Each structure stands twice: as C-alpha cells, then as structure tokens.
Amino acid sequence: MTAFKLIIVNFSLLFILCELMLRFAWQSPYVPSYDEAFFHEPNQSVRFKNVSKIYGNTDVIYFRTDSYGAIVGPEKTKNILLNDEYAIALGGSTTECALVTENKRWPDLLETPTINFGKSRLNSSHTLKNLAFVINNYQMEPSFIFIMDGVNNLSAYLSRGPEGLFNQNPKGFYRLALTHSYTLALIWNNIKSNDYFSFYKAQVSLNNQIPLIKEKELKKYWNKEKNSILNSQIEVFKKFKETINNKLSKIVILTQPHAFEENHIPIKTELRSTPIINNKRLSFKQAKWLMDSYNEITVKAAMLSNLLLIDVSLCFQKVDSSSLFYDAYHFTEKGSEYFAKCLSNKLSFTN
C-alpha cells in the first residue's frame, strides 16, 4: 500500500510539474490566447503524419499559421491585404481543411485571394466573435466574407438546442479536460497529428454502437424543431450583418456539402459518422435527408436575412463523391479543388 501511495504521489508531482512547464512554454490549442476570438494560435507549425491511411494522398501534411492566426496559404496575409479585392473564410474544419496539402485548401484556390480563418469545431457562436475581431482588431475590409458553419451549427443544435449557436463553451468531460489540462491537451494533440486515421476510426466505432433511430421518430423530431432551427439561423445571420457595421463587405453564407450518398464507396475504409438525435444514430440515407433539409433551411434563413447565399452543396449532388470526401464532411485534395471551382463559378454570377 505504501509503494502504491508513493507511485500516486510521484505521478501527481510529475503531472503538476508538466502542467506548470507547459503553461509557461506552450500555448494549448484548446485555450484561446486571443481576447474574444477563437483563431488558431499564431505562428503554429504542425505535421500531420500517416495521412495516406485516410485517403491515399501524400503521407505528411504541413499545417502552419501566420501572425494573424490565419492558415498559411500561397500568399502571405499581409500581401493579400494589399489587393483591391480580397476575401476571408470563416468556419469550422471544412473551411480549415487541415488534412489537405498546404496551398491546395479551397480558400487557397479561389480566384479572389482569400485569408483562411477556419478552425476545427467552431460554430456560428465562435464565427461571430472571430468576425468582430477581424473587423475591429485587424481593420480588415474584405470584399467577401465566406461563412460555412453548417455541420457544426447542426451539431450544436442537436446537442444543446437553440442556444447552441450563441454559446461558445461546449459541454462534456472531453472538452473540459482538454481546456483545463495542458498535459492532456499536448498528449491528445500528438496522438491526432501522428494518427488521425485511428481518431476517425474510433469515432465511427463509437457511432456504430448507438442504436438506429426509427423513421417516424426522426420525422417527428424534425417537424417539431425545424422552425426553431430556422429562427436560430436567422438570428445569428442578422448578428453577422450587425457585426460588419454596414461596410461594403458582402457576407456570403455557404451551405454544407456532405458525403451521405447511398452509393458512396469509401476510398479505403468507412470513416463516415452519422448525426445523433435523441441518443440514436441516423442511417446514411437518413443523414442525407437531414443534411439536405438543413441546407434548405440555411438557404431560407439567408434569404429572410437578406444575405447573399451560395448553395455549394448542389455541386456535390449527383456526382461520385467517393474521391471528394474522406469522411462525411471533410474534403480530400480533389474535393477541395472541386469545391473551390464550384464556389468561384457561382460567385462570378453574383457580381
């Protein structure tokens, strides 16, 4: 018993020492260093390894950020700001495109030079803060502000209701532990950067253990919640407009492309997880219906908010998406290129 207590004491002391050293020398990506913003940490450099396990691309992906907290692309942010016309992209991981080769993420490929402020797990509650920070602290006046929060907004609503789009603090032990422990954050960060494949596989495995929802229960949920979902979208879209203070910038809401097609064939293995409603998972067919229905609400909310909307999800319908996504929502390099081409083409018709 004494030896066991000694082990516990030594482990605790080592853990506390690690915490103190990391808090002094390392900035956890789960603890924003910005006031009232949720960008990536500035001047960050990460190597994602073993990426070929996921979709057969190059084995190492370099992910870097600049002094603005923006994702490094083919042009430096300060050079992009010299253009008469430029854009910024805000949203979650489908804007971030972390596992796409550097300089080939969709914001890098648009005809309009675009600064990528995407970051994994962000929803519109975070995007509101990030947009305000860009306008007020960076004094940016972009011609276009691309916002794609779809999948994370839906996830926030399903887990926390209408307040999900206005609450920056996600619940759950997992997020709480990573936020408050630098040691756990570093360990988790290294695990993901070295083997994202196992991370996604674990998500799929956990998802498959949840029972399927019945069609009747899904439709009942949607009929009950769809107006609330619409109203919460309208409310947050109006706040986007208020944030830019009537500047010449055009907010462009983007719908959410997804890979929930019945004939979708994974490139290597199944990495798609489906949404959870009432502690029950959706089938791929149900997930497709839900995402398409959610995109329709996004279109309606943008129209009622008098915001420009580009329905990029339409470009991904009736095409073979097996090489465009590596899971339900995240683009492969080819998918990122396809998305950029679609957005550029549709944007040209709005000017």
Side-chain angles (χ1 to χ4, degrees), residues 153-339:
N153 279 356
L154 179 58
S155 177
Y157 189 95
L158 294 180
S159 62
R160 302 196 294 279
E163 294 304 311
L165 301 192
F166 303 95
N167 178 11
Q168 293 91 38
N169 300 312
K171 298 178 181 179
F173 176 78
Y174 157 71
R175 298 297 297 178
L176 193 66
L178 294 180
T179 300
H180 292 284
S181 172
Y182 278 52
T183 305
L184 294 178
L186 180 63
I187 292 171
W188 184 240
N189 223 39
N190 285 331
I191 290 173
K192 289 205 300 181
S193 65
N194 281 281
D195 194 355
Y196 245 110
F197 176 77
S198 295
F199 170 73
Y200 282 117
K201 282 293 291 179
Q203 285 187 318
V204 171
S205 178
L206 290 171
N207 187 264
N208 288 340
Q209 295 176 29
I210 301 171
L212 284 165
I213 193 170
K214 294 185 181 298
E215 198 73 23
K216 184 177 179 180
E217 184 178 356
L218 173 60
K219 294 297 175 64
K220 181 180 179 181
Y221 174 88
W222 185 253
N223 288 333
K224 178 184 176 184
E225 300 294 337
K226 62 182 180 182
N227 287 333
S228 178
I229 292 173
L230 173 64
N231 291 334
S232 65
Q233 288 277 50
I234 292 172
E235 186 176 353
V236 76
F237 287 172
K238 287 182 177 179
K239 288 184 180 296
F240 287 149
K241 288 185 66 176
E242 294 169 3
T243 299
I244 63 172
N245 299 320
N246 296 317
K247 293 182 183 290
L248 296 178
S249 304
K250 292 182 181 178
I251 295 175
V252 184
I253 303 296
L254 306 177
T255 54
Q256 184 68 64
H258 60 85
F260 290 123
E261 302 292 340
E262 293 179 63
N263 62 348
H264 172 76
I265 302 174
I267 294 176
K268 286 201 169 184
T269 189
E270 183 56 73
L271 297 180
R272 289 175 297 173
S273 294
T274 57
I276 305 296
I277 292 178
N278 295 335
N279 296 317
K280 296 174 185 175
R281 66 182 167 93
L282 276 61
S283 67
F284 288 159
K285 182 178 179 180
Q286 291 170 331
K288 171 178 167 46
W289 175 84
L290 180 69
M291 288 307 306
D292 290 344
S293 299
Y294 188 80
N295 279 331
E296 289 174 6
I297 280 185
T298 301
V299 171
K300 187 175 181 180
M303 179 186 69
L304 293 174
S305 304
N306 198 28
L307 289 179
L308 182 62
L309 177 131
I310 296 182
D311 194 353
V312 281
S313 68
L314 291 179
C315 294
F316 290 80
Q317 294 183 6
K318 298 180 181 179
V319 298
D320 179 9
S321 61
S322 61
S323 64
L324 304 180
F325 299 89
Y326 61 79
D327 66 355
Y329 306 102
H330 298 102
F331 303 124
T332 61
E333 188 175 305
K334 184 176 179 181
S336 180
E337 181 181 357
Y338 184 80
F339 181 97

